[in-house]
């Protein structure tokens, strides 16, 4: 590589302590560090590139990574043309497991899917298909809930609270919205249970005891302070004029 690594980058490249999280700004050299780290292990420990699993989020990032590893290998090969281990890596890099999470999981399922009775010719659905399927499932679930509806059931209360008359599209929207938000939690059901607890009001006599109450009270206090500042400003402006002072200051002070 043309530029030497910074001390911080070098520390990351040399770290062999196990799990390592590198969080840094865009364009700060994360991919560079990853490539150096990988090649350091390949050259120092004599490992082959296809022994590693390298995962990224997008196809573009996976392609970029493979290209950059291949380029770095060529650069090193140019410096050590007789190195057979390096030469082997230059071929292996095109077979190495460098892919998106989706592609890796799909490959794994294709190899091991028989253990789950999965049809071998399955394919990944795209986002559009997933949305259609999700809407279909939601409709079926809601339909079932309406069939089993009783006046006091929690579902009846939910529908009453969230729907406008006969239109329950808002309920469906909220269910989908909550569903997509909880996808980023490793244990969605546990998280939902925690959220339910936050809204439990048993034994709570003061809104300040709840997280949402604290937020509302802090906001009310902030607005109160702002009003007070404005009233004080109004009083000092009114005091500049005799007539205004006589007519407005008493009521402003009363406020
Ligand atoms: N120590 C360094 N000195 C000079 N240039 C560097 C250094 N480290 C990385 N670079 C260069 O900075 C540019 C961005 O690096 P890189 O692509 O590794 O960053 P990144 O954090 O992965 O970016 P992104 O967030 O876009 O994925 C590259 O051209 C890389 O060669
Ligand atoms: Mg990068």
């Amino acid at each position: 590589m043309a530029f030497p690594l910074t001390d911080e980058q070098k520390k990351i490249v040399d770290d062999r302590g196990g799990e390592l999280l590198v969080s840094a700004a865009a364009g700060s050299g994360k991919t560079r560090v990853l490539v150096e780290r990988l090649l350091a292990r390949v050259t120092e420990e004599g490992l082959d590139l296809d022994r590693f699993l390298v995962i990224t989020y997008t196809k573009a990032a996976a392609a970029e990574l493979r290209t950059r590893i291949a380029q770095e290998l060529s650069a090193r090969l140019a410096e050590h043309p007789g190195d057979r281990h390096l030469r082997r890596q230059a071929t292996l890099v095109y077979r190495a497991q460098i892919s998106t999470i989706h592609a890796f999981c799909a490959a794994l399922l294709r190899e091991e899917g028989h253990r789950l009775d999965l049809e071998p010719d399955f394919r990944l659905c795209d986002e559009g298909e997933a949305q259609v399927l999700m809407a279909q499932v939601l409709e079926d679930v809601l339909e079932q809930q309406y069939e089993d509806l009783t006046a006091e059931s929690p579902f009846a209360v939910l529908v009453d609270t969230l729907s406008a008359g006969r239109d329950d599209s808002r309920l469906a929207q909220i269910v989908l919205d909550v569903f997509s938000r909880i996808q980023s939690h490793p244990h969605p059901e546990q998280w939902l249970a925690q959220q339910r607890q936050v809204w439990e009001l048993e034994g709570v006599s003061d809104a300040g005891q709840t997280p949402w109450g604290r937020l509302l009270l802090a906001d009310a206090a902030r607005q109160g302070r702002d009003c007070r500042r404005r009233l004080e400003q109004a009083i000092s402006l009114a005091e500049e004029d005799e007539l205004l002072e006589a007519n407005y200051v008493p009521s402003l002070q009363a406020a």
Side-chain angles (χ1 to χ4, degrees):
M1 271 273 171
F3 303 97
L5 294 169
T6 64
D7 288 346
E8 217 173 352
Q9 286 176 321
K10 198 156 168 29
K11 238 167 50 195
I12 302 169
V13 170
D14 295 338
D15 187 288
R16 295 288 180 272
E19 286 170 24
L20 181 65
L21 171 72
V22 177
S23 169
S28 58
K30 298 179 293 294
T31 303
R32 161 99 194 266
V33 162
L34 187 62
V35 172
E36 292 282 340
R37 208 172 136 75
L38 189 64
L39 290 192
R41 298 208 53 186
V42 166
T43 50
E44 288 161 22
E45 298 171 34
L47 296 171
D48 282 333
L49 268 178
D50 59 354
R51 297 270 320 276
F52 292 85
L53 171 61
V54 184
I55 297 246
T56 66
Y57 281 102
T58 65
K59 286 181 187 165
E64 184 209 342
L65 200 52
R66 194 184 299 275
T67 308
R68 285 179 61 174
I69 295 170
Q71 280 170 348
E72 184 61 23
L73 277 171
S74 321
R76 291 187 189 195
L77 253 179
E79 282 171 29
H80 309 278
D83 189 326
R84 290 173 62 180
H85 180 60
L86 267 184
R87 187 161 296 285
R88 194 172 135 72
Q89 307 313 309
T91 319
L92 283 181
V93 68
Y94 297 101
R95 287 219 319 253
Q97 186 65 254
I98 303 168
S99 67
T100 61
I101 296 176
H102 284 63
F104 169 67
C105 292
L108 191 66
L109 285 174
R110 230 171 274 289
E111 275 172 32
E112 304 290 336
H114 57 276
R115 295 171 194 253
L116 302 169
D117 288 332
L118 206 63
E119 296 289 334
D121 62 344
F122 76 87
R123 63 179 186 84
L124 294 180
C125 72
D126 64 37
E127 242 168 76
E129 285 172 304
Q131 268 173 10
V132 172
L133 277 175
M134 206 138 64
Q136 184 74 56
V137 171
L138 180 59
E139 202 182 307
D140 292 349
V141 170
L142 289 179
E143 201 62 45
Q144 190 60 52
Q145 293 284 344
Y146 281 119
E147 273 177 28
D148 304 340
L149 194 71
T150 57
E152 279 95 42
S153 67
F155 183 67
V157 179
L158 185 71
V159 172
D160 255 4
T161 317
L162 296 179
S163 305
R166 289 177 158 270
D167 177 14
D168 70 353
S169 56
R170 189 154 164 253
L171 170 64
Q173 198 48 55
I174 288 175
V175 172
L176 286 178
D177 190 41
V178 170
F179 179 77
S180 74
R181 276 167 203 271
I182 63 175
Q183 292 312 296
S184 52
H185 290 274
H187 305 292
E189 288 183 4
Q190 199 177 319
W191 184 81
L192 282 175
Q194 276 171 3
Q195 299 312 302
R196 260 200 305 277
Q197 261 176 11
V198 169
W199 294 95
E200 280 300 340
L201 290 179
E202 217 158 278
V204 175
S205 52
D206 176 359
Q209 286 173 276
T210 66
W212 49 270
R214 276 195 290 278
L215 273 179
L216 289 176
L217 285 172
D219 190 52
R222 190 185 54 74
Q223 291 193 37
R225 281 195 299 275
D226 191 45
C227 285
R228 189 195 166 101
R229 189 181 55 78
R230 282 166 191 262
L231 280 170
E232 282 167 0
Q233 242 174 4
I235 290 172
S236 69
L237 278 174
E239 279 170 352
E240 285 174 18
D241 182 280
E242 219 170 283
L243 214 56
L244 283 177
E245 184 174 10
N247 283 322
Y248 285 103
V249 169
S251 56
L252 284 172
Q253 267 164 350

